């Protein structure tokens, strides 16, 4: 089906980033399960997660290389990149953030902000990536949701805002309260189940009103119309709160915070909803800027399937069966497999060859790619210069070492 602006509006290119052992890959695994991308939940300790596919990753229980996949959640298409958390592989995070539109930052509810949390946060700042936060491991001894929010504010100099509050902590963690909708989501103690929706528990009514008031006040500060209503004590609808929160998140002025425990599969469905509600689509980020091969004049490319085709290759890997795999993000236009494209690095036309959609190490053939997609090309390695250059009605696939790039 040809891409449309409506389909782009429902597309999310997001990455999961975190300090090592914050539970990022476990969160990703649960997201893939609930979106139907995988049928069975794997475990990091067992070496059976979908995204940690390398033998070294499964042996050591850590993510070494970033892995890409695509999932569906309702009307939303979510392109996901699971990144490493270890400092030794931070270049993988950098090259991934270079092409992402949004990010989910995972924090350990016990440790809060950790050293690599600061690193990935700075990398996201560098590439102007809007993000939401997920406070994981709420069932662990010593977990503290509110202390983690304070550490995000003080150590990362961010403006976090709780959109949920937990129902209990540590071994008494049962679910979350949605501060916008005014309802609770609770999960059974064991097993993978759909959350049970209900009213705010009586014992949490006062806490709910307090944190909802703080949330609305912070959101109103970012929107003049909402601020006027807040000052005049007029009624503010839930949809107005959501719209203003989305705008503030995309504008980097607010970071919504959610919580749960991925290992116990609690809090994941509301997190997936939040990815669609608050993180940007390709239409919400500024058009990419580049230069044509023959001049230094800057040209913009809007994320529109009818624009000339342009893309950026951000990673290359060696596949034992098909040779080189070049991952690329499409910024504008449409291209079919086997079409002739322009490589702005060596200034010559090349055959695009096979196009595949990746699910970790698994490949799914694709007939064509369009603006907003992340895909891979099978074939030889592509080299390019450091400058981004556009070629009208052609592709540019530029391989870079992302650690030295500016967006």
């Amino acid at each position: 089906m040809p891409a449309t602006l409506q389909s782009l509006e429902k597309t999310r290119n997001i990455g999961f980033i975190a300090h090592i052992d914050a539970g990022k890959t476990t969160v990703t695994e649960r997201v893939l399960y609930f979106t139907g991308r995988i049928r069975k939940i794997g475990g990091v300790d067992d070496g059976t997660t979908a995204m940690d596919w390398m033998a070294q990753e499964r042996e050591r229980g850590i993510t070494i290389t970033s892995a890409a996949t695509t999932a569906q959640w309702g009307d939303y298409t979510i392109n996901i990149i699971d990144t490493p958390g270890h400092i030794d592989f931070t270049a993988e995070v950098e090259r991934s953030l270079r092409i992402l539109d949004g990010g989910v930052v995972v924090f350990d509810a016990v440790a809060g902000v950790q050293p690599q949390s600061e690193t990935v946060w700075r990398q996201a700042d560098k590439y102007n990536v809007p993000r939401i936060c997920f406070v994981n491991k709420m069932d662990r001894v010593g977990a503290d949701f509110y202390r983690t929010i304070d550490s995000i504010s003080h150590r990362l100099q961010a403006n976090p805002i709780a959109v949920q509050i937990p129902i209990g902590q540590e071994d008494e963690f049962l679910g979350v309260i949605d501060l916008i909708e005014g309802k609770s989501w609770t999960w059974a103690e064991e097993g993978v189940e759909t959350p049970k929706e209900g009213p705010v528990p009586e014992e949490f009514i006062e806490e709910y009103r307090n944190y909802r008031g703080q949330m609305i006040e912070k959101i109103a500060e970012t929107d003049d119309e909402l601020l006027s209503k807040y000052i005049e004590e007029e009624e503010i609808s839930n949809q107005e709160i959501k719209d203003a929160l989305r705008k503030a998140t995309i504008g980097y002025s607010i970071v919504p915070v959610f919580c749960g425990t991925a290992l116990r599969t609690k809090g994941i469905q509301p997190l997936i909803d939040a990815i669609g509600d608050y993180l940007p689509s390709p239409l919400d980020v500024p058009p990419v800027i580049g230069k044509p091969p023959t001049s230094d004049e800057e040209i913009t490319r809007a994320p529109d399937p009818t624009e000339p085709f342009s893309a950026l290759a951000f990673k290359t890997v060696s596949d034992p069966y098909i040779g080189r795999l070049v991952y690329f993000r499409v910024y504008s236009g449409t291209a079919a497999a086997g079409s002739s494209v322009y490589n702005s690095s060596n200034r010559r036309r090349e055959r695009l060859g096979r196009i595949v959609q990746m699910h970790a190490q698994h490949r799914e053939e694709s007939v064509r790619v369009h603006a907003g997609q992340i895909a891979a090309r099978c074939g030889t390695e592509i080299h390019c210069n450091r400058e981004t250059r556009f070629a009208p009605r052609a592709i540019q696939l530029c391989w870079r070492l992302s650690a030295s790039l500016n967006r």
Side-chain angles (χ1 to χ4, degrees), residues 31 120 128 130 177 181 189 207 232 285 303 313 342 371 384-385:
V31 169
V120 298
N128 299 321
I177 297 172
E181 299 292 343
E189 194 62 33
E207 189 175 350
E232 296 175 6
V285 297
Y342 184 82
C384 82
N385 300 322

Side-chain angles (χ1 to χ4, degrees), residues 130-132 159-164 178-180 215-216 218-220 222-223 226 238-258 274 277-279:
R131 69 219 75 154
I132 61 178
N159 185 23
I161 177 171
V163 183
Q164 299 173 342
D178 189 324
L179 295 179
I180 297 178
M215 177 192 70
I216 294 176
K218 279 192 173 185
I219 296 174
T222 67
D223 187 280
L226 215 60
N238 292 343
Q239 190 58 50
E240 287 177 312
I241 295 173
K242 282 188 171 183
D243 291 343
L245 180 57
R246 173 177 173 79
K247 181 180 177 181
T249 303
I250 295 173
Y252 319 112
S253 55
I254 280 180
V255 182
V257 183
F258 302 82
D277 289 340
Y278 306 118
L279 290 180

Side-chain angles (χ1 to χ4, degrees), residues 8-9 11-12 130 246 250 278-287 303:
L8 283 177
E9 188 179 355
T11 297
R12 300 290 183 268
R246 173 177 173 79
I250 295 173
Y278 306 118
L279 290 180
S281 73
L283 300 175
D284 296 317
V285 297

Side-chain angles (χ1 to χ4, degrees), residues 48-59:
T48 56
T49 57
M51 303 302 273
D52 285 350
W53 58 272
M54 295 175 61
Q56 296 92 332
E57 292 177 315
R58 293 181 172 179
E59 179 184 344

Side-chain angles (χ1 to χ4, degrees), residues 297-364:
E297 178 188 1
E298 288 190 343
I299 298 176
T300 61
R301 286 284 182 263
D304 188 335
T306 62
E307 285 261 334
F309 188 76
S310 61
L312 175 68
F314 63 95
K315 176 180 178 176
T316 184
V317 297
S318 181
D319 188 282
Y321 300 104
I322 60 174
R324 295 284 183 178
L325 263 179
V326 180
Y327 290 75
F328 62 94
R329 159 72 189 270
V330 184
Y331 286 101
S332 65
T334 304
S339 59
S340 179
V341 299
Y342 184 82
N343 184 340
S344 65
S345 170
N346 52 29
R347 301 192 178 187
R348 70 182 183 188
R349 299 188 70 83
E350 298 178 356
R351 187 171 177 272
L352 186 57
R354 292 171 56 200
I355 298 174
V356 292
Q357 295 286 331
M358 300 300 298
H359 174 56
Q361 82 275 28
H362 302 292
R363 303 176 299 275
E364 299 173 357

